[in-house]
Amino acid sequence: MYTAVDGARVPIRMWADPASVEDQAMRQLHNVANLPWVHGVAVMPDVHYGKGATVGSVIAMRDAVSPAAVGVDIGCGMSAVRTSLTAKDLPDDLGKLRRRIESAVPVGFGLHKTPVNPAKVHGVGGWDAFWKGFGELHSGVQELHDRAARQIGSLGGGNHFIEVCLEQGGADEGRVWLMLHSGSRNIGKELAERHMAVARKLPHNADLPDRDLAVFVAGTPEMAAYRRDLFWAQDYAARNRATMVALLKQAVRDELPQVTYGDAISCHHNYVAEETYDGVELLVTRKGAIRAGSGDLGIIPGSMGTGSYIVRGLGNDSSFQSASHGAGRRMSRTKAKKLFTADDLAAQTAGVECRKDSGVVDEIPAAYKDIDSVIRAQTDLVEVVAHLKQVVCVKG
Ligand code: 5GP
Ligand code: MN
Ligand code: MN
């Protein structure tokens, strides 16, 4: 259940203890809820400070959208697939499986030498129309197009990851799942930043408490241009993840030829959707939140050493049919690097085949909130389908 936080033009519904939310995040929430175009704000239990607007929140607006609230990784999200394997099928040497995955999917700044052949990405069509759409929007920008094509099917860095997980408890104890976290790579960032710069200069944004909250409004050419790039980048992100799922499935099949797969689950957690509530058409921005409409399958990851959850939405309108996108950060990357060492990381990722060097100390499990508490705080938004724990984690 949520707590209503007053003091803004529209109520802020919060699935977290308001006392636990940092001051600067609370200020951001009030700034957002005071925007003239805002219809409602829902705050998820993984909420924390973010650029422009908090991560772990849902902003429903009428006839407006804030590009900084969507963020630079347009369409960032998760994909997961259940396999026919169980723990006993996995090799003792998980390092080999990890290396196979790392050679199938470029990570960090890596991209494909030549674009992945779309014929290899089963179940995803419409590639010609997709690229034509980009060409029509950005004709003559061949360099941008070529880079975007070679980044399809690549992971990126930071906390983007690929995991091999085992189901915990229940009738399907030990079931192997594959999951991954990535978005629209550099092309999404490039498009987002262009539009954010345009929005900041629009006269109707002159008096905002925070210039990062600059919005586009319906009926303007700037809004039309943003919407086209936004929805294209969301599609790009979904295709990027679908391509990686195909490459990942093949990599696991090369190691374990008997494997078969269920249908992939895919959910954005940084995106905009047009949805109607009580007859009002809204632009719903989920920035670090997933859609949790009735029956929707979603993925809520914890950290590189704790579990993750596959969930099913309950269709609760009070959160604009949304749920958290993860455990959420407990502290900044800078603070995590100050507080913890590579030895701490190794201790907190015991039993996980993953990087344990100082380069990923800012991703240490203790830098994130407790995923189980985050799940317990939203039992009116989602129900748990499967509780997973990783045995392999590849980070960019
Ligand atoms: P974000 O999209 O905000 O960058 O991160 C999404 C969420 O993923 C974080 O809030 C965190 O709970 C979770 N997370 C970060 N790194 C990992 C990881 O390596 N493995 C898993 N399972 N979850 C992670
Ligand atoms: Mn991302
Ligand atoms: Mn993300």
Side-chain angles (χ1 to χ4, degrees):
M1 271 305 292
Y2 65 86
T3 306
V5 178
D6 299 328
R9 209 179 55 76
V10 297
I12 302 168
R13 295 184 184 136
M14 189 175 281
W15 275 259
D17 175 2
S20 71
V21 178
E22 325 119 276
D23 291 346
Q24 51 176 357
M26 199 56 113
R27 206 169 312 122
Q28 286 186 313
L29 291 168
H30 276 99
N31 285 342
V32 165
N34 278 322
L35 291 176
W37 306 272
V38 167
H39 181 81
V41 176
V43 185
M44 302 296 106
D46 58 344
V47 64
H48 60 85
Y49 173 83
K51 187 169 163 48
T54 47
V55 174
S57 52
V58 183
I59 307 167
M61 288 201 205
R62 220 188 277 215
D63 299 328
V65 68
S66 163
V70 179
V72 287
D73 195 358
I74 296 171
C76 190
M78 297 283 308
S79 292
V81 61
R82 184 178 178 275
T83 77
S84 59
L85 306 172
T86 59
K88 64 176 181 348
D89 299 315
L90 292 179
D92 292 336
D93 180 9
L94 289 171
K96 194 161 164 232
L97 185 57
R98 174 183 165 197
R99 285 187 294 278
R100 266 205 201 273
I101 294 171
E102 285 170 343
S103 58
V105 180
V107 304
F109 291 112
L111 35 70
H112 291 276
K113 287 197 184 71
T114 53
V116 174
N117 180 353
K120 284 193 167 172
V121 189
H122 301 294
V124 185
W127 289 92
D128 289 346
F130 169 71
W131 285 117
K132 184 165 174 284
F134 180 71
E136 280 166 1
L137 291 176
H138 301 281
S139 57
V141 201
Q142 195 58 34
E143 194 271 332
L144 207 60
H145 176 286
D146 291 349
R147 195 154 31 94
R150 289 166 61 216
Q151 281 189 337
I152 282 260
S154 68
L155 187 68
N159 60 356
H160 294 148
F161 61 83
I162 301 174
E163 288 182 343
V164 179
C165 305
L166 299 180
E167 197 162 331
Q168 308 292 296
D172 227 1
E173 166 85 35
R175 169 74 51 195
V176 176
W177 289 73
L178 308 177
M179 66 156 75
L180 60 88
H181 173 215
S182 186
S184 53
R185 308 290 285 103
N186 200 257
I187 186 72
K189 178 167 182 283
E190 181 128 359
L191 296 175
E193 282 172 349
R194 286 185 191 189
H195 288 288
M196 276 149 66
V198 171
R200 289 170 86 90
K201 296 202 187 98
L202 293 173
H204 65 248
N205 290 316
D207 298 328
L208 294 178
D210 180 350
R211 267 291 168 114
D212 278 338
L213 288 177
V215 300
F216 292 121
V217 293
T220 62
E222 292 85 3
M223 173 69 131
Y226 179 61
R227 284 178 60 114
R228 283 195 318 242
D229 280 347
L230 171 75
F231 291 129
W232 184 86
Q234 289 181 185
D235 192 6
Y236 181 97
R239 287 165 183 275
N240 179 38
R241 287 198 302 273
T243 303
M244 276 187 283
V245 165
L247 297 174
L248 181 58
K249 280 163 68 173
Q250 190 53 51
V252 172
R253 194 178 283 127
D254 288 344
E255 188 71 26
L256 301 156
Q258 75 274 31
V259 66
T260 60
Y261 298 105
D263 293 336
I265 304 168
S266 177
C267 59
H268 289 328
H269 56 223
N270 269 20
Y271 77 113
V272 178
E274 295 175 291
E275 296 174 12
T276 301
Y277 293 91
D278 296 328
V280 185
E281 285 176 29
L282 298 170
L283 284 161
V284 178
T285 299
R286 296 189 175 88
K287 178 173 186 174
I290 58 171
R291 183 169 159 83
S294 181
D296 291 343
L297 289 174
I299 305 157
I300 305 184
S303 75
M304 65 191 288
T306 52
S308 299
Y309 287 86
I310 307 291
V311 297
R312 190 181 292 114
L314 298 175
N316 189 332
D317 279 0
S318 48
S319 71
F320 301 100
Q321 304 200 1
S322 309
S324 89
H325 83 309
R329 280 202 162 265
R330 192 199 293 278
M331 64 184 73
S332 68
R333 291 178 182 281
T334 321
K335 190 167 173 199
K337 280 188 181 147
K338 264 193 211 132
L339 279 181
F340 300 104
T341 63
D343 286 344
D344 296 325
L345 176 63
Q348 292 183 29
T349 57
V352 184
E353 172 60 45
C354 64
R355 278 180 68 182
K356 303 189 193 245
D357 57 281
S358 56
V360 285
V361 164
D362 51 350
E363 286 296 321
I364 191 166
Y368 288 96
K369 298 182 203 199
D370 173 44
I371 183 67
D372 297 312
S373 317
V374 165
I375 294 292
R376 278 195 299 275
Q378 49 187 333
T379 50
D380 54 338
L381 306 181
V382 288
E383 61 187 12
V384 171
V385 171
H387 178 194
L388 310 179
K389 171 78 177 72
Q390 66 274 74
V391 288
V392 176
C393 174
V394 170
K395 284 233 164 178

